[in-house]
Amino acid sequence: SLLHLCFRAPLVTPLVFGLLLQPPLTQLSNITQPNIVLLMADDLGIGDVGCYGNNTIRTPNIDRLSKEGVKLTQHIAAAPLCTPSRAAFLTGRYPLRSGMDATNDYRVIFWNGGSGGLPPNETTFAKILQQQGYSTGLIGKWHQGVNCESRNDHCHHPLNHGFDYFYGMPFTLISDCQPTETPEMDRAFRGKLWLSTQTIWLLIFTAVLGRLTGMISVRWKMLTCLAGFSLLFFISWFSSYGFVRYWNCIMMRNHEVTEQPMVTERTTFLILRESISFIERNKHKPFLLFLSFLHSHTPLLTTEKFLGKSHHGLYGDNVEEMDWMVGQVLDAIDKEGLRNSTLVYFASDHGGWLERQEGKRQLGGWNGIYKGGKAMGGWEGGIRVPGIFRWPEVLPAGTVIDEPTSLMDIYPTVVLLAGGVLPQDRVIDGRDLMPLLQGAVEHSEHEFLFHYCGIHLHAVRWHQKDSGTVWKAHYTTPVFHPVGAGACYDRGVCPCFGEGVTHHDPPLLFDLSQDPSEAKPLSADNEPLFNTVIQKIGRAVEEHRKTLTPVPEQLSVYNTVWKPWLQPCCGTFPFCWCDKEDNN
């Protein structure tokens, strides 16, 4: 047998070496332009998903993605609210670079009829993939604005930002879209407007009564002017806030309004149908599908099949339905034989909304062990989100990566996979993730990540690569109410500035590697490197600020107010109502 082995050696040796040199995963050079499916949940907390530690909400399909792909445990949103986070996701840039972070309390797009939005001069990954020959589609939520100067200029519309096809909400889902729910949009401000109107009417009524009884000497002309003023005041605000469901809760297909107001009972079905149809229509060429779920934002639209099925009330039902939708999309990919040629990504736009409650009902998500939640620019709970990639035979299955990564990293990752070139005329803050996902490199390219609340820098993360430590310095934190509650239950949303925040000098410092819950702030007394770390982060902030240039504020008060002449309308304004999906 030894003789036989000697004679076979010349044949065996090359074979063994060939097997040893053969890579276990497909080389990228063998795959040109994979299909790309991006799945983004809305307001989903990292603690709401099974593969991130939740053992009571059932998410088998998202968990399957994780098992078959790569799970990121330190995946960070660039902002803790929808509009700025999604702007950063689409452009690969911190939102204040495009003017999509606010100086005021209006930190998101507030009206379809507003003039702010993702500027036309921003280059989204969809636009580059479109130029690379991809079919590009956005199904679901947009929330990046619609028009600039006229009702049909569509300057902020998805079709002006690289998407060939759009079906969904140009705005975002809110409780006002569900007639049976308590209005959500600008609730406190709307209450003040009602109170002011009623006070004016009461004064006028009292004055008229006094004039009629002779108790007050006031001219009828003055009373008529006051009545006219009160009527104009009422019309000025009720024309917008009184019809939120008609102005904001609409569905569009490309540039056409198809439902005004939207019929919420069938929204889930239509979004799923459109997503699967897009895959089927484009299976013979490379495609980009961005499925931007309306789940799990209030009012938590959930079909009867899933109502009452979870252990976490309506919110849990809604998350389980979204997971089922993920499964349906994955099944469609498999059915068309696209599994091995499709990169699938799942994430949330930011953390769960802790303060969202109605009575004893918790309608917002859970952020696991992480402090804070939606709207909080610094605390981990507002910005650390699920991040999962699956690409069979290219990415190693069952891998977990605990390196700092960002939603902005999707931009360079998909652009380079499509064979595109990153824009050279602007700063791109994202980094290509493929070397990290494939295991070619050990560390993320991010040394520093800057955590903004509006335009205010609240915290900075430093990834000290030589030691693997992740430091985080908080310059500003929100004031929780009640004290120790972990959220701003008195306000509903934590502010970025003013009386509702605390400034820290020196900054609060945490070692996230040892204290991911940010429970034990360090000091010069208990951390020998305290001053060194604070100085290093301070220098990084100075360098970062040098890269910022002034741009128009897309979320200024003027840009966020409702403008009737910009309102998308499927009829003759103001008679805007239609249902073009009824026959379908």
Side-chain angles (χ1 to χ4, degrees), residues 413-445:
T413 303
V414 301
V415 164
L416 295 174
L417 281 174
V421 178
L422 295 175
Q424 301 299 305
D425 61 343
R426 64 198 65 191
V427 177
I428 301 296
D429 297 297
R431 299 289 181 264
D432 178 17
L433 285 177
M434 284 308 293
L436 183 67
L437 296 175
Q438 288 197 294
V441 298
E442 188 179 348
H443 292 299
S444 157
E445 282 189 49

PDB file of all heavy atoms in Angstrom, residues 413-445:
ATOM      1  N   THR A 413     -21.001  49.870   0.120  1.00  0.00           N
ATOM      2  CA  THR A 413     -21.028  48.415  -0.064  1.00  0.00           C
ATOM      3  C   THR A 413     -21.780  48.040  -1.330  1.00  0.00           C
ATOM      4  O   THR A 413     -21.278  47.301  -2.176  1.00  0.00           O
ATOM      5  CB  THR A 413     -21.658  47.725   1.163  1.00  0.00           C
ATOM      6  OG1 THR A 413     -20.920  48.087   2.336  1.00  0.00           O
ATOM      7  CG2 THR A 413     -21.639  46.215   1.008  1.00  0.00           C
ATOM      8  N   VAL A 414     -23.004  48.557  -1.493  1.00  0.00           N
ATOM      9  CA  VAL A 414     -23.805  48.166  -2.662  1.00  0.00           C
ATOM     10  C   VAL A 414     -23.313  48.855  -3.937  1.00  0.00           C
ATOM     11  O   VAL A 414     -23.365  48.266  -5.024  1.00  0.00           O
ATOM     12  CB  VAL A 414     -25.316  48.422  -2.430  1.00  0.00           C
ATOM     13  CG1 VAL A 414     -25.811  47.646  -1.226  1.00  0.00           C
ATOM     14  CG2 VAL A 414     -25.640  49.893  -2.290  1.00  0.00           C
ATOM     15  N   VAL A 415     -22.805  50.075  -3.807  1.00  0.00           N
ATOM     16  CA  VAL A 415     -22.285  50.779  -4.993  1.00  0.00           C
ATOM     17  C   VAL A 415     -21.112  50.008  -5.585  1.00  0.00           C
ATOM     18  O   VAL A 415     -21.037  49.789  -6.808  1.00  0.00           O
ATOM     19  CB  VAL A 415     -21.872  52.226  -4.632  1.00  0.00           C
ATOM     20  CG1 VAL A 415     -20.992  52.830  -5.721  1.00  0.00           C
ATOM     21  CG2 VAL A 415     -23.109  53.099  -4.432  1.00  0.00           C
ATOM     22  N   LEU A 416     -20.194  49.576  -4.739  1.00  0.00           N
ATOM     23  CA  LEU A 416     -19.014  48.858  -5.241  1.00  0.00           C
ATOM     24  C   LEU A 416     -19.381  47.462  -5.742  1.00  0.00           C
ATOM     25  O   LEU A 416     -18.815  46.986  -6.730  1.00  0.00           O
ATOM     26  CB  LEU A 416     -17.951  48.778  -4.143  1.00  0.00           C
ATOM     27  CG  LEU A 416     -17.361  50.145  -3.720  1.00  0.00           C
ATOM     28  CD1 LEU A 416     -16.420  49.985  -2.533  1.00  0.00           C
ATOM     29  CD2 LEU A 416     -16.654  50.814  -4.889  1.00  0.00           C
ATOM     30  N   LEU A 417     -20.345  46.803  -5.095  1.00  0.00           N
ATOM     31  CA  LEU A 417     -20.802  45.496  -5.580  1.00  0.00           C
ATOM     32  C   LEU A 417     -21.423  45.609  -6.973  1.00  0.00           C
ATOM     33  O   LEU A 417     -21.307  44.691  -7.790  1.00  0.00           O
ATOM     34  CB  LEU A 417     -21.823  44.891  -4.612  1.00  0.00           C
ATOM     35  CG  LEU A 417     -21.274  44.239  -3.343  1.00  0.00           C
ATOM     36  CD1 LEU A 417     -22.412  43.819  -2.431  1.00  0.00           C
ATOM     37  CD2 LEU A 417     -20.387  43.043  -3.678  1.00  0.00           C
ATOM     38  N   ALA A 418     -22.061  46.728  -7.242  1.00  0.00           N
ATOM     39  CA  ALA A 418     -22.711  46.934  -8.543  1.00  0.00           C
ATOM     40  C   ALA A 418     -21.723  47.376  -9.623  1.00  0.00           C
ATOM     41  O   ALA A 418     -22.112  47.554 -10.781  1.00  0.00           O
ATOM     42  CB  ALA A 418     -23.816  47.976  -8.393  1.00  0.00           C
ATOM     43  N   GLY A 419     -20.460  47.557  -9.209  1.00  0.00           N
ATOM     44  CA  GLY A 419     -19.463  48.010 -10.185  1.00  0.00           C
ATOM     45  C   GLY A 419     -19.435  49.506 -10.358  1.00  0.00           C
ATOM     46  O   GLY A 419     -18.831  50.024 -11.305  1.00  0.00           O
ATOM     47  N   GLY A 420     -20.099  50.231  -9.450  1.00  0.00           N
ATOM     48  CA  GLY A 420     -20.147  51.690  -9.534  1.00  0.00           C
ATOM     49  C   GLY A 420     -18.931  52.331  -8.886  1.00  0.00           C
ATOM     50  O   GLY A 420     -18.094  51.653  -8.276  1.00  0.00           O
ATOM     51  N   VAL A 421     -18.855  53.638  -9.013  1.00  0.00           N
ATOM     52  CA  VAL A 421     -17.773  54.427  -8.429  1.00  0.00           C
ATOM     53  C   VAL A 421     -18.372  55.397  -7.428  1.00  0.00           C
ATOM     54  O   VAL A 421     -19.386  56.047  -7.704  1.00  0.00           O
ATOM     55  CB  VAL A 421     -16.999  55.207  -9.518  1.00  0.00           C
ATOM     56  CG1 VAL A 421     -15.896  56.062  -8.893  1.00  0.00           C
ATOM     57  CG2 VAL A 421     -16.418  54.241 -10.542  1.00  0.00           C
ATOM     58  N   LEU A 422     -17.762  55.501  -6.260  1.00  0.00           N
ATOM     59  CA  LEU A 422     -18.259  56.428  -5.245  1.00  0.00           C
ATOM     60  C   LEU A 422     -18.030  57.865  -5.692  1.00  0.00           C
ATOM     61  O   LEU A 422     -17.012  58.171  -6.326  1.00  0.00           O
ATOM     62  CB  LEU A 422     -17.533  56.191  -3.916  1.00  0.00           C
ATOM     63  CG  LEU A 422     -17.772  54.843  -3.245  1.00  0.00           C
ATOM     64  CD1 LEU A 422     -16.899  54.707  -2.000  1.00  0.00           C
ATOM     65  CD2 LEU A 422     -19.235  54.668  -2.878  1.00  0.00           C
ATOM     66  N   PRO A 423     -18.971  58.764  -5.385  1.00  0.00           N
ATOM     67  CA  PRO A 423     -18.789  60.179  -5.741  1.00  0.00           C
ATOM     68  C   PRO A 423     -17.498  60.736  -5.146  1.00  0.00           C
ATOM     69  O   PRO A 423     -17.186  60.479  -3.976  1.00  0.00           O
ATOM     70  CB  PRO A 423     -20.019  60.858  -5.116  1.00  0.00           C
ATOM     71  CG  PRO A 423     -21.033  59.776  -4.971  1.00  0.00           C
ATOM     72  CD  PRO A 423     -20.256  58.524  -4.700  1.00  0.00           C
ATOM     73  N   GLN A 424     -16.757  61.469  -5.949  1.00  0.00           N
ATOM     74  CA  GLN A 424     -15.480  62.025  -5.503  1.00  0.00           C
ATOM     75  C   GLN A 424     -15.599  63.484  -5.076  1.00  0.00           C
ATOM     76  O   GLN A 424     -14.642  64.065  -4.582  1.00  0.00           O
ATOM     77  CB  GLN A 424     -14.452  61.914  -6.637  1.00  0.00           C
ATOM     78  CG  GLN A 424     -14.221  60.484  -7.107  1.00  0.00           C
ATOM     79  CD  GLN A 424     -13.686  59.573  -6.017  1.00  0.00           C
ATOM     80  OE1 GLN A 424     -12.663  59.878  -5.405  1.00  0.00           O
ATOM     81  NE2 GLN A 424     -14.371  58.461  -5.758  1.00  0.00           N
ATOM     82  N   ASP A 425     -16.777  64.085  -5.298  1.00  0.00           N
ATOM     83  CA  ASP A 425     -16.938  65.523  -5.043  1.00  0.00           C
ATOM     84  C   ASP A 425     -17.559  65.816  -3.684  1.00  0.00           C
ATOM     85  O   ASP A 425     -17.967  66.944  -3.409  1.00  0.00           O
ATOM     86  CB  ASP A 425     -17.811  66.141  -6.148  1.00  0.00           C
ATOM     87  CG  ASP A 425     -19.208  65.540  -6.186  1.00  0.00           C
ATOM     88  OD1 ASP A 425     -19.411  64.455  -5.602  1.00  0.00           O
ATOM     89  OD2 ASP A 425     -20.103  66.160  -6.796  1.00  0.00           O
ATOM     90  N   ARG A 426     -17.661  64.810  -2.818  1.00  0.00           N
ATOM     91  CA  ARG A 426     -18.277  65.010  -1.503  1.00  0.00           C
ATOM     92  C   ARG A 426     -17.735  63.974  -0.525  1.00  0.00           C
ATOM     93  O   ARG A 426     -17.170  62.955  -0.930  1.00  0.00           O
ATOM     94  CB  ARG A 426     -19.798  64.884  -1.608  1.00  0.00           C
ATOM     95  CG  ARG A 426     -20.282  63.509  -2.026  1.00  0.00           C
ATOM     96  CD  ARG A 426     -21.705  63.547  -2.536  1.00  0.00           C
ATOM     97  NE  ARG A 426     -21.786  64.344  -3.766  1.00  0.00           N
ATOM     98  CZ  ARG A 426     -22.927  64.731  -4.312  1.00  0.00           C
ATOM     99  NH1 ARG A 426     -24.073  64.436  -3.740  1.00  0.00           N
ATOM    100  NH2 ARG A 426     -22.940  65.437  -5.424  1.00  0.00           N
ATOM    101  N   VAL A 427     -17.925  64.254   0.750  1.00  0.00           N
ATOM    102  CA  VAL A 427     -17.498  63.310   1.793  1.00  0.00           C
ATOM    103  C   VAL A 427     -18.511  62.171   1.868  1.00  0.00           C
ATOM    104  O   VAL A 427     -19.714  62.400   1.978  1.00  0.00           O
ATOM    105  CB  VAL A 427     -17.400  64.013   3.166  1.00  0.00           C
ATOM    106  CG1 VAL A 427     -17.041  63.003   4.248  1.00  0.00           C
ATOM    107  CG2 VAL A 427     -16.380  65.141   3.120  1.00  0.00           C
ATOM    108  N   ILE A 428     -18.023  60.945   1.799  1.00  0.00           N
ATOM    109  CA  ILE A 428     -18.846  59.761   2.048  1.00  0.00           C
ATOM    110  C   ILE A 428     -18.399  59.183   3.388  1.00  0.00           C
ATOM    111  O   ILE A 428     -17.234  58.812   3.559  1.00  0.00           O
ATOM    112  CB  ILE A 428     -18.695  58.705   0.921  1.00  0.00           C
ATOM    113  CG1 ILE A 428     -19.099  59.294  -0.442  1.00  0.00           C
ATOM    114  CG2 ILE A 428     -19.532  57.473   1.244  1.00  0.00           C
ATOM    115  CD1 ILE A 428     -20.561  59.696  -0.558  1.00  0.00           C
ATOM    116  N   ASP A 429     -19.311  59.136   4.342  1.00  0.00           N
ATOM    117  CA  ASP A 429     -18.957  58.707   5.699  1.00  0.00           C
ATOM    118  C   ASP A 429     -19.038  57.195   5.878  1.00  0.00           C
ATOM    119  O   ASP A 429     -18.454  56.647   6.819  1.00  0.00           O
ATOM    120  CB  ASP A 429     -19.874  59.391   6.714  1.00  0.00           C
ATOM    121  CG  ASP A 429     -19.707  60.909   6.695  1.00  0.00           C
ATOM    122  OD1 ASP A 429     -18.597  61.374   7.005  1.00  0.00           O
ATOM    123  OD2 ASP A 429     -20.677  61.610   6.358  1.00  0.00           O
ATOM    124  N   GLY A 430     -19.751  56.502   4.990  1.00  0.00           N
ATOM    125  CA  GLY A 430     -19.860  55.050   5.074  1.00  0.00           C
ATOM    126  C   GLY A 430     -18.591  54.365   4.585  1.00  0.00           C
ATOM    127  O   GLY A 430     -17.779  54.961   3.875  1.00  0.00           O
ATOM    128  N   ARG A 431     -18.441  53.090   4.951  1.00  0.00           N
ATOM    129  CA  ARG A 431     -17.282  52.295   4.547  1.00  0.00           C
ATOM    130  C   ARG A 431     -17.761  50.970   3.949  1.00  0.00           C
ATOM    131  O   ARG A 431     -18.751  50.398   4.408  1.00  0.00           O
ATOM    132  CB  ARG A 431     -16.373  52.011   5.744  1.00  0.00           C
ATOM    133  CG  ARG A 431     -15.804  53.268   6.402  1.00  0.00           C
ATOM    134  CD  ARG A 431     -14.762  53.931   5.514  1.00  0.00           C
ATOM    135  NE  ARG A 431     -14.177  55.112   6.122  1.00  0.00           N
ATOM    136  CZ  ARG A 431     -14.585  56.359   5.883  1.00  0.00           C
ATOM    137  NH1 ARG A 431     -15.613  56.573   5.069  1.00  0.00           N
ATOM    138  NH2 ARG A 431     -13.984  57.391   6.449  1.00  0.00           N
ATOM    139  N   ASP A 432     -17.042  50.484   2.953  1.00  0.00           N
ATOM    140  CA  ASP A 432     -17.381  49.213   2.318  1.00  0.00           C
ATOM    141  C   ASP A 432     -17.280  48.089   3.348  1.00  0.00           C
ATOM    142  O   ASP A 432     -16.237  47.883   3.963  1.00  0.00           O
ATOM    143  CB  ASP A 432     -16.421  48.964   1.151  1.00  0.00           C
ATOM    144  CG  ASP A 432     -16.684  47.634   0.454  1.00  0.00           C
ATOM    145  OD1 ASP A 432     -17.780  47.063   0.650  1.00  0.00           O
ATOM    146  OD2 ASP A 432     -15.794  47.170  -0.280  1.00  0.00           O
ATOM    147  N   LEU A 433     -18.371  47.342   3.520  1.00  0.00           N
ATOM    148  CA  LEU A 433     -18.409  46.287   4.540  1.00  0.00           C
ATOM    149  C   LEU A 433     -17.974  44.913   4.039  1.00  0.00           C
ATOM    150  O   LEU A 433     -17.777  44.009   4.845  1.00  0.00           O
ATOM    151  CB  LEU A 433     -19.827  46.173   5.109  1.00  0.00           C
ATOM    152  CG  LEU A 433     -20.288  47.257   6.077  1.00  0.00           C
ATOM    153  CD1 LEU A 433     -21.737  47.019   6.478  1.00  0.00           C
ATOM    154  CD2 LEU A 433     -19.394  47.310   7.307  1.00  0.00           C
ATOM    155  N   MET A 434     -17.840  44.730   2.738  1.00  0.00           N
ATOM    156  CA  MET A 434     -17.572  43.380   2.227  1.00  0.00           C
ATOM    157  C   MET A 434     -16.314  42.736   2.802  1.00  0.00           C
ATOM    158  O   MET A 434     -16.348  41.552   3.175  1.00  0.00           O
ATOM    159  CB  MET A 434     -17.538  43.391   0.693  1.00  0.00           C
ATOM    160  CG  MET A 434     -18.913  43.482   0.052  1.00  0.00           C
ATOM    161  SD  MET A 434     -20.112  42.254   0.637  1.00  0.00           S
ATOM    162  CE  MET A 434     -19.390  40.747  -0.006  1.00  0.00           C
ATOM    163  N   PRO A 435     -15.183  43.439   2.919  1.00  0.00           N
ATOM    164  CA  PRO A 435     -14.005  42.780   3.525  1.00  0.00           C
ATOM    165  C   PRO A 435     -14.281  42.287   4.941  1.00  0.00           C
ATOM    166  O   PRO A 435     -13.846  41.194   5.314  1.00  0.00           O
ATOM    167  CB  PRO A 435     -12.944  43.893   3.511  1.00  0.00           C
ATOM    168  CG  PRO A 435     -13.356  44.805   2.407  1.00  0.00           C
ATOM    169  CD  PRO A 435     -14.852  44.796   2.438  1.00  0.00           C
ATOM    170  N   LEU A 436     -15.011  43.074   5.724  1.00  0.00           N
ATOM    171  CA  LEU A 436     -15.337  42.681   7.094  1.00  0.00           C
ATOM    172  C   LEU A 436     -16.313  41.509   7.097  1.00  0.00           C
ATOM    173  O   LEU A 436     -16.146  40.542   7.847  1.00  0.00           O
ATOM    174  CB  LEU A 436     -15.931  43.878   7.857  1.00  0.00           C
ATOM    175  CG  LEU A 436     -16.270  43.662   9.330  1.00  0.00           C
ATOM    176  CD1 LEU A 436     -14.992  43.454  10.150  1.00  0.00           C
ATOM    177  CD2 LEU A 436     -17.063  44.844   9.890  1.00  0.00           C
ATOM    178  N   LEU A 437     -17.349  41.574   6.256  1.00  0.00           N
ATOM    179  CA  LEU A 437     -18.370  40.522   6.209  1.00  0.00           C
ATOM    180  C   LEU A 437     -17.782  39.194   5.756  1.00  0.00           C
ATOM    181  O   LEU A 437     -18.206  38.128   6.203  1.00  0.00           O
ATOM    182  CB  LEU A 437     -19.510  40.942   5.275  1.00  0.00           C
ATOM    183  CG  LEU A 437     -20.327  42.169   5.682  1.00  0.00           C
ATOM    184  CD1 LEU A 437     -21.331  42.528   4.592  1.00  0.00           C
ATOM    185  CD2 LEU A 437     -21.045  41.937   7.008  1.00  0.00           C
ATOM    186  N   GLN A 438     -16.810  39.244   4.829  1.00  0.00           N
ATOM    187  CA  GLN A 438     -16.214  38.011   4.315  1.00  0.00           C
ATOM    188  C   GLN A 438     -15.087  37.482   5.191  1.00  0.00           C
ATOM    189  O   GLN A 438     -14.575  36.394   4.953  1.00  0.00           O
ATOM    190  CB  GLN A 438     -15.693  38.237   2.895  1.00  0.00           C
ATOM    191  CG  GLN A 438     -16.803  38.373   1.869  1.00  0.00           C
ATOM    192  CD  GLN A 438     -16.271  38.178   0.470  1.00  0.00           C
ATOM    193  OE1 GLN A 438     -15.480  38.969  -0.025  1.00  0.00           O
ATOM    194  NE2 GLN A 438     -16.697  37.103  -0.183  1.00  0.00           N
ATOM    195  N   GLY A 439     -14.675  38.277   6.186  1.00  0.00           N
ATOM    196  CA  GLY A 439     -13.605  37.837   7.065  1.00  0.00           C
ATOM    197  C   GLY A 439     -12.215  38.144   6.543  1.00  0.00           C
ATOM    198  O   GLY A 439     -11.219  37.641   7.074  1.00  0.00           O
ATOM    199  N   ALA A 440     -12.131  38.974   5.499  1.00  0.00           N
ATOM    200  CA  ALA A 440     -10.823  39.332   4.944  1.00  0.00           C
ATOM    201  C   ALA A 440     -10.075  40.284   5.868  1.00  0.00           C
ATOM    202  O   ALA A 440      -8.841  40.337   5.855  1.00  0.00           O
ATOM    203  CB  ALA A 440     -10.996  39.965   3.557  1.00  0.00           C
ATOM    204  N   VAL A 441     -10.815  41.066   6.657  1.00  0.00           N
ATOM    205  CA  VAL A 441     -10.194  41.950   7.650  1.00  0.00           C
ATOM    206  C   VAL A 441     -10.844  41.687   9.004  1.00  0.00           C
ATOM    207  O   VAL A 441     -11.975  41.208   9.079  1.00  0.00           O
ATOM    208  CB  VAL A 441     -10.343  43.450   7.275  1.00  0.00           C
ATOM    209  CG1 VAL A 441      -9.634  43.747   5.962  1.00  0.00           C
ATOM    210  CG2 VAL A 441     -11.813  43.861   7.209  1.00  0.00           C
ATOM    211  N   GLU A 442     -10.134  42.012  10.052  1.00  0.00           N
ATOM    212  CA  GLU A 442     -10.621  41.725  11.405  1.00  0.00           C
ATOM    213  C   GLU A 442     -11.414  42.886  11.990  1.00  0.00           C
ATOM    214  O   GLU A 442     -12.335  42.685  12.769  1.00  0.00           O
ATOM    215  CB  GLU A 442      -9.416  41.418  12.309  1.00  0.00           C
ATOM    216  CG  GLU A 442      -9.800  40.928  13.688  1.00  0.00           C
ATOM    217  CD  GLU A 442      -8.576  40.612  14.551  1.00  0.00           C
ATOM    218  OE1 GLU A 442      -7.449  40.563  13.995  1.00  0.00           O
ATOM    219  OE2 GLU A 442      -8.748  40.438  15.774  1.00  0.00           O
ATOM    220  N   HIS A 443     -11.034  44.125  11.597  1.00  0.00           N
ATOM    221  CA  HIS A 443     -11.646  45.298  12.216  1.00  0.00           C
ATOM    222  C   HIS A 443     -12.417  46.151  11.213  1.00  0.00           C
ATOM    223  O   HIS A 443     -12.069  46.215  10.030  1.00  0.00           O
ATOM    224  CB  HIS A 443     -10.574  46.171  12.883  1.00  0.00           C
ATOM    225  CG  HIS A 443      -9.932  45.530  14.075  1.00  0.00           C
ATOM    226  ND1 HIS A 443     -10.645  45.160  15.193  1.00  0.00           N
ATOM    227  CD2 HIS A 443      -8.640  45.177  14.316  1.00  0.00           C
ATOM    228  CE1 HIS A 443      -9.828  44.617  16.074  1.00  0.00           C
ATOM    229  NE2 HIS A 443      -8.604  44.608  15.566  1.00  0.00           N
ATOM    230  N   SER A 444     -13.443  46.802  11.720  1.00  0.00           N
ATOM    231  CA  SER A 444     -14.183  47.801  10.940  1.00  0.00           C
ATOM    232  C   SER A 444     -13.259  48.960  10.601  1.00  0.00           C
ATOM    233  O   SER A 444     -12.317  49.265  11.326  1.00  0.00           O
ATOM    234  CB  SER A 444     -15.366  48.303  11.775  1.00  0.00           C
ATOM    235  OG  SER A 444     -15.785  49.568  11.356  1.00  0.00           O
ATOM    236  N   GLU A 445     -13.537  49.617   9.488  1.00  0.00           N
ATOM    237  CA  GLU A 445     -12.743  50.789   9.088  1.00  0.00           C
ATOM    238  C   GLU A 445     -13.069  52.015   9.933  1.00  0.00           C
ATOM    239  O   GLU A 445     -12.337  52.994   9.914  1.00  0.00           O
ATOM    240  CB  GLU A 445     -12.964  51.113   7.612  1.00  0.00           C
ATOM    241  CG  GLU A 445     -12.198  50.221   6.651  1.00  0.00           C
ATOM    242  CD  GLU A 445     -12.297  50.745   5.224  1.00  0.00           C
ATOM    243  OE1 GLU A 445     -12.070  51.952   5.001  1.00  0.00           O
ATOM    244  OE2 GLU A 445     -12.630  49.944   4.337  1.00  0.00           O
TER     245      GLU A 445
END
